[in-house]
């Protein structure tokens, strides 16, 4: 198939393109000098404002993975890339006469502040969002649902890193949080021990998106590329992290640094306020870095994954300990 891919230079891009071997992939890239090199991928220089109209006659599948993932950026900036960019991609798709499917890569966090079971379905606007990124991605999904195009959505949970070596192309909120935890600079976390923390590997994320692209069209299907029932609880994850940290640090081993306390929303907000008032620059940075990740823990949810399990694709690994270990080691080693 002729596949047009956006987001090739991102965290997910190379793994996703790698999962599409056997297809002719054309990847839209703003700066070709930063593009990975894969034999079946042809890099096409351009942007949402400058899409390669000459390719429209040959494209059969579009995978739209590009997005601004700057969680804490202003909503208007995020909308420009995530909502207007998606609108431009949909307009582009409308003039692709051979188009079989438009796969939109989204995030499980479009559920915003909702708790409980999150279905693989269009979600009503949540009461509020944890951050503007989530809102812009929810708004982008609405464009997909209203597009009238043969579209499907794959929502991913937190893509933690490679299940081979824990590597990520660029560190995100999870990785910053892991690093500050390791340094003992996160004394408390919002949430409770049984809050699920849904982590997947880059390889699984790529495979589930590729499987959706390959499968026969199911119009407006939503697929959760998530660990779902396999996700560890926050308590289990913290216990596992403590073990990993203890193998790498005497301070963790003898208990001079301990796992953070789990606290309610009010106590956590008070802690953040104290940090701001203290003027302590390091703690302010820690709070800023973890702001994109920690508040979501106050809204425990389980992503349902029945549709994902029907795809011809392996299940997400239930060995979250191995992934957590590899990613944590990678974070520590690459920043020490
Ligand atoms: N990683 C995760 O944990 C995660 C979790 C859930 C969902 N997702 C979703 O998965 C997709 C891929 O995420 P990722 O982690 O690979 O993101 P990423 O590492 O932040 O990469 C973003 C990609 O989008 C491209 N991009 C950004 N703004 C663009 C613009 N204005 N025009 C064209 N391209 C633009 C970037 O290109 P440049 O290199 O030119 O900047 C890059 O290729 C996104 O849709 C994201 O919402 C990711």
């Amino acid at each position: 198939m002729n596949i047009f891919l956006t987001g090739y230079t991102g965290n997910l891009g190379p793994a996703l393109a790698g999962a599409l071997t056997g297809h002719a992939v054309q990847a839209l890239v703003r700066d070709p000098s930063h593009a990975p090199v894969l034999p079946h991928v042809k890099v096409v220089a351009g942007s949402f404002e400058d899409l390669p109209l000459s390719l429209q006659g040959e494209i059969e599948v579009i995978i739209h993975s590009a997005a601004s993932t700057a969680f804490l950026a202003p909503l208007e900036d995020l909308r420009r890339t995530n909502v207007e960019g998606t609108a431009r991609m949909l307009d582009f798709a409308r003039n692709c006469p051979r188009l079989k499917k438009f796969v939109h890569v989204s995030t499980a966090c479009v559920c915003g502040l909702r708790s409980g079971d999150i279905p693989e379905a269009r979600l009503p606007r949540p009461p509020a969002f944890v951050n503007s990124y989530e809102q812009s991605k929810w708004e982008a999904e609405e464009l997909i649902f209203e597009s009238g195009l043969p579209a499907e959505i794959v929502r991913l949970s937190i893509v933690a890193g490679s299940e081979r070596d824990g590597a990520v192309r660029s560190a995100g909120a999870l990785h910053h949080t892991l690093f500050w935890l390791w340094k003992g600079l996160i004394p408390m976390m919002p949430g409770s021990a049984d809050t699920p923390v849904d982590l997947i590997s880059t390889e699984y994320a790529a495979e589930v998106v590729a499987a959706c692209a390959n499968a026969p069209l199911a119009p407006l299907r939503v697929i959760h590329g998530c660990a779902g029932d396999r996700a560890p609880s926050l308590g289990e994850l913290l216990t596992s992290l403590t073990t990993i940290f203890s193998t790498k640090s005497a301070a963790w081993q003898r208990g001079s640094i301990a796992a953070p306390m789990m606290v309610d929303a009010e106590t956590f907000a008070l802690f953040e306020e104290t940090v701001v008032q203290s003027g302590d620059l390091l703690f302010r940075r820690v709070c800023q870095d973890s702001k994109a990740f920690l508040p979501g823990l106050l809204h425990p949810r389980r992503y349902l994954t029945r549709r994902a399990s029907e795809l011809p694709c392996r299940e997400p690994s239930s060995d979250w300990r191995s992934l957590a270990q590899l990613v944590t080691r990678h974070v520590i080693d690459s920043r020490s």
Side-chain angles (χ1 to χ4, degrees), residues 7-13 30 48 65-69 81 105-107 133 137 156-159 170:
Y8 182 45
T9 51
N11 262 325
L12 195 59
R30 291 192 287 187
F48 297 144
S65 180
S68 168
T69 56
T81 302
V105 182
S106 188
T107 167
Y133 163 75
K137 293 291 283 188
L156 304 174
S157 60
I158 302 166
V159 183
S170 56

Side-chain angles (χ1 to χ4, degrees), residues 4-328:
F4 188 66
L5 171 69
T6 71
Y8 182 45
T9 51
N11 262 325
L12 195 59
L16 178 49
L20 294 168
T21 34
H23 298 297
V25 179
Q26 313 221 47
L28 180 77
V29 168
R30 291 192 287 187
D31 177 359
S33 68
H34 282 131
V37 178
L38 286 174
H40 63 296
V41 179
K42 189 171 159 220
V43 168
V44 180
S47 65
F48 297 144
E49 293 75 29
D50 177 24
L51 287 161
L53 306 183
S54 62
L55 298 181
Q56 283 172 313
E58 60 196 75
I59 292 169
E60 292 164 285
V61 170
I62 293 175
I63 303 180
H64 178 40
S65 180
S68 168
T69 56
F71 292 176
L72 302 176
L75 179 59
E76 286 319 307
D77 293 358
L78 286 155
R79 276 189 174 139
R80 210 167 302 124
T81 302
N82 297 351
V83 187
E84 288 166 33
T86 299
R88 283 176 194 268
M89 287 303 300
L90 289 169
D91 284 343
F92 177 78
R94 280 189 188 95
N95 291 308
C96 293
R98 296 176 64 197
L99 187 76
K100 293 185 185 133
K101 192 186 279 200
F102 185 107
V103 179
H104 177 72
V105 182
S106 188
T107 167
C109 293
V110 290
C111 63
L113 296 194
R114 288 180 67 179
S115 303
D117 284 349
I118 307 297
E120 291 169 295
R122 187 174 185 170
L123 295 173
R125 190 188 184 86
F129 294 93
V130 173
N131 55 49
S132 300
Y133 163 75
E134 293 183 355
Q135 179 169 348
S136 68
K137 293 291 283 188
W138 180 85
E139 290 175 3
E141 281 198 5
E142 287 300 293
L143 295 182
I144 302 290
F145 287 117
E146 294 296 329
S147 68
L149 283 168
E152 295 187 40
I153 294 175
V154 182
R155 292 185 190 136
L156 304 174
S157 60
I158 302 166
V159 183
S162 167
E163 63 197 33
R164 283 191 292 272
D165 56 10
V168 276
R169 273 169 72 79
S170 56
L174 168 76
H175 310 98
H176 296 311
T177 305
L178 281 174
F179 181 72
W180 295 126
L181 271 175
W182 153 247
K183 289 284 178 193
L185 292 174
I186 302 186
M188 56 183 82
M189 273 187 153
S192 69
D194 54 4
T195 300
V197 185
D198 200 301
L199 306 174
I200 53 171
S201 70
T202 314
E203 288 85 353
Y204 175 69
E207 282 171 42
V208 75
V209 176
C212 173
N214 282 321
L217 176 71
L220 300 185
R221 171 168 59 174
V222 178
I223 293 163
H224 280 173
C226 302
D229 285 337
R230 296 172 163 81
S233 68
L234 180 57
E236 287 175 314
L237 186 62
L238 284 177
T239 304
S240 174
L241 290 177
T242 304
T243 309
I244 301 165
F245 292 155
S246 299
T247 61
K248 296 199 70 98
S249 143
W252 273 93
Q253 221 169 67
R254 58 173 183 266
S256 324
I257 307 181
M261 269 188 308
M262 273 167 263
V263 297
D264 59 19
E266 242 170 46
T267 313
F268 192 69
L270 217 67
F271 164 67
E272 286 188 309
E273 210 181 297
T274 314
V275 167
V276 171
Q277 279 169 4
S278 77
D280 185 310
L281 290 180
L282 180 58
F283 263 111
R284 278 172 83 151
R285 184 163 162 217
V286 173
C287 279
Q288 190 63 21
D289 277 353
S290 44
K291 213 180 181 129
F293 176 67
L294 294 183
L297 297 174
L298 286 166
H299 308 278
R301 74 277 303 242
R302 176 88 51 193
Y303 302 112
L304 303 181
T305 56
R306 186 180 57 81
R307 287 190 174 149
S309 65
E310 288 167 359
L311 283 177
C313 171
R314 72 176 159 123
E315 299 279 325
S317 169
S318 47
D319 190 4
W320 59 264
R321 283 187 181 79
S322 159
L323 181 63
Q325 186 169 43
L326 288 167
V327 171
T328 306

